[in-house]
Amino acid sequence: AQSVTQLGSHVSVSEGALVLLRCNYSSSVPPYLFWYVQYPNQGLQLLLKYTSAATLVKGINGFEAEFKKSETSFHLTKPSAHMSDAAEYFCAVIWSPGNTPLVFGKGTRLSVIA
Amino acid sequence: DGGITQSPKYLFRKEGQNVTLSCEQNLNHDAMYWYRQDPGQGLRLIYYSQIVNDFQKGDIAEGYSVSREKKESFPLTVTSAQKNPTAFYLCASSSGGSGRAARGTDTQYFGPGTRLTVL
């Protein structure tokens, strides 16, 4: 079955350090890939998405992600963590276009230490 | 402002009760979705609807029901058959299309969620 795996349910970084959140998908056909962020007791906000236009995707709040077909990965990075980045992050995929539901990873909670 | 609204924000249910969660969007989106979120499990699909008067079951549809009588509304009923309904429920919508027309339009936008607790 097609799936999305987020490595690490909890990641902790120091303020100003690099943020790296990992996401791998299982499919020979590249899907559409998304990263969402969720703050406590709120809905999900789109950070960025990959739809095959460019392998390096820039999103909001200084985040970016690189699609690597050979590694079936779509890892999320930010050069310098800020306290306000503390949240839960979800990687999600759509396997084919046309209003199909998202398949989510289990999420990674990011903590930022002062 | 365009967006998705969910109500209520918090909902309490007694054992054996049916409750209905509201989801409304004014984005003119064709498709709407309901997801359930439990700690450490990510989001799981309950139901989705690609067009008015049509909907499909998701991975965890048992104990839930939906209707899609209007484009802007997609209410979710949690029935007494759902044995463990305590969770955070999220509604989403997307504009869609198919084939090449769908590229870039599949982004799902989420409402603020409803937290349901069984007493």
Side-chain angles (χ1 to χ4, degrees):
Chain A
Q2 295 167 324
S3 63
V4 180
T5 302
Q6 290 184 242
L7 188 62
S9 60
H10 183 207
V11 171
S12 184
V13 300
S14 298
E15 192 174 19
L18 172 71
V19 176
L20 171 61
L21 304 181
R22 300 177 188 273
C23 174
N24 289 86
Y25 63 91
S26 62
S27 173
S28 59
V29 177
Y32 295 97
L33 293 146
F34 304 80
W35 275 100
Y36 285 88
V37 61
Q38 184 183 37
Y39 299 99
N41 291 313
Q42 294 187 24
L44 273 65
Q45 180 183 6
L46 181 70
L47 276 177
L48 49 81
K49 64 181 180 183
Y50 167 76
T51 57
S52 78
T55 57
L56 183 62
V57 182
K58 294 187 182 299
I60 63 171
N61 301 340
F63 284 93
E64 62 182 36
E66 185 174 8
F67 172 71
K68 292 186 177 180
K69 183 178 178 180
S70 60
E71 299 177 7
T72 61
S73 69
F74 190 57
H75 301 332
L76 181 71
T77 60
K78 181 174 181 178
S80 176
H82 191 272
M83 297 298 288
S84 61
D85 294 326
E88 185 139 25
Y89 292 80
F90 291 95
C91 181
V93 306
I94 292 176
W95 303 108
S96 59
N99 278 340
T100 54
L102 288 163
V103 175
F104 284 89
K106 293 188 183 301
T108 297
R109 183 163 62 90
L110 176 66
S111 296
V112 182
I113 303 168
Chain B
D1 283 339
I4 302 172
T5 58
Q6 292 187 241
S7 62
K9 187 171 178 62
Y10 298 96
L11 185 58
F12 298 91
R13 191 193 93 167
K14 293 181 180 179
E15 294 280 353
Q17 268 186 339
N18 291 355
V19 292
T20 298
L21 283 60
S22 169
C23 178
E24 304 275 334
Q25 53 97 0
N26 61 4
L27 301 167
N28 200 33
H29 284 173
D30 291 314
M32 297 185 73
Y33 312 80
W34 276 105
Y35 296 92
R36 169 178 170 147
Q37 184 178 15
D38 297 281
Q41 297 200 44
L43 279 74
R44 293 178 291 168
L45 180 69
I46 305 173
Y47 270 98
Y48 69 105
S49 168
Q50 294 177 314
I51 196 168
V52 174
N53 292 323
D54 188 43
F55 48 82
Q56 287 78 41
K57 291 183 179 180
D59 301 321
I60 57 166
E62 184 175 351
Y64 300 97
S65 66
V66 293
S67 62
R68 187 84 187 279
E69 297 176 359
K70 298 186 294 183
K71 187 175 185 178
E72 61 270 24
S73 178
F74 192 40
L76 173 74
T77 297
V78 184
T79 74
S80 57
Q82 171 49 240
K83 297 306 179 188
N84 185 24
T86 294
F88 192 50
Y89 291 86
L90 288 156
C91 178
S93 69
S94 63
S95 58
S98 60
R100 289 187 64 83
R103 186 161 295 175
T105 64
D106 293 283
T107 301
Q108 291 183 22
Y109 297 92
F110 285 80
T114 292
R115 186 166 297 280
L116 173 63
T117 302
V118 174
L119 301 175

